[in-house]
Amino acid sequence: MLSVHDYLSRQASKLGGDIDFLLSMADGKVICSSITNPQKSSRQSAMSSALLALSESFSKEALGEENKELTISCNTGHAVIIRINENNQVILLCLTSSDKTNLALLLRLARDTASKIKFK
């Protein structure tokens, strides 16, 4: 997981951003995170899982298909949560940033990172 951490750290610095990232299992177990406070990291992991599950249910009901990602934007920042299915495991990638980071760039980074993650 160190390579994911290094990759995201490099990409965040390229964007000149204040991007935090969290990689976790669907059950909320944190795999790696740039968030230094373990309690905050655990809470964000649990909320990411619950929020993505809720958005998937809504998407299935309203659009007839589950979504694989969720974006959130507010006055103070943005968040992107992506579900990654790999080897019959569900992993969640959550990126957050301040409002100074372009949401489209954050989403692109999340999608690119998700496509690179492989578990054995």
Side-chain angles (χ1 to χ4, degrees):
M1 282 312 113
L2 186 57
S3 60
V4 172
H5 189 280
D6 291 345
Y7 173 77
L8 283 168
S9 295
R10 284 193 308 274
Q11 296 305 316
S13 67
K14 283 182 189 176
L15 292 176
D18 49 347
I19 297 171
D20 279 320
F21 54 87
L22 173 69
L23 192 64
S24 61
M25 302 299 292
D27 65 2
K29 179 183 176 196
V30 175
I31 298 170
C32 73
S33 175
S34 66
I35 302 166
T36 56
N37 181 327
Q39 289 178 335
K40 182 176 179 181
S41 184
S42 291
R43 281 193 314 271
Q44 187 171 324
S45 175
M47 287 186 285
S48 295
S49 181
L51 187 56
L52 186 59
L54 182 59
S55 73
E56 289 170 342
S57 296
F58 175 81
S59 180
K60 191 170 183 178
E61 181 70 27
L63 303 172
E65 185 177 0
E66 288 182 348
N67 61 321
K68 294 186 184 336
E69 62 191 33
L70 172 67
T71 59
I72 301 169
S73 189
C74 63
N75 288 336
T76 57
H78 313 291
V80 175
I81 305 168
I82 293 185
R83 177 173 38 101
I84 304 165
N85 293 318
E86 183 66 32
N87 294 334
N88 296 320
Q89 293 183 14
V90 177
I91 295 106
L92 302 179
L93 173 65
C94 178
L95 302 183
T96 57
S97 71
S98 75
D99 63 336
K100 292 175 179 58
T101 301
N102 182 296
L103 177 58
L105 292 175
L106 189 67
L107 179 57
R108 178 79 269 152
L109 175 58
R111 287 178 176 172
D112 290 348
T113 302
S115 71
K116 294 178 187 308
I117 293 175
K118 300 288 179 213
F119 288 89
K120 295 180 172 73

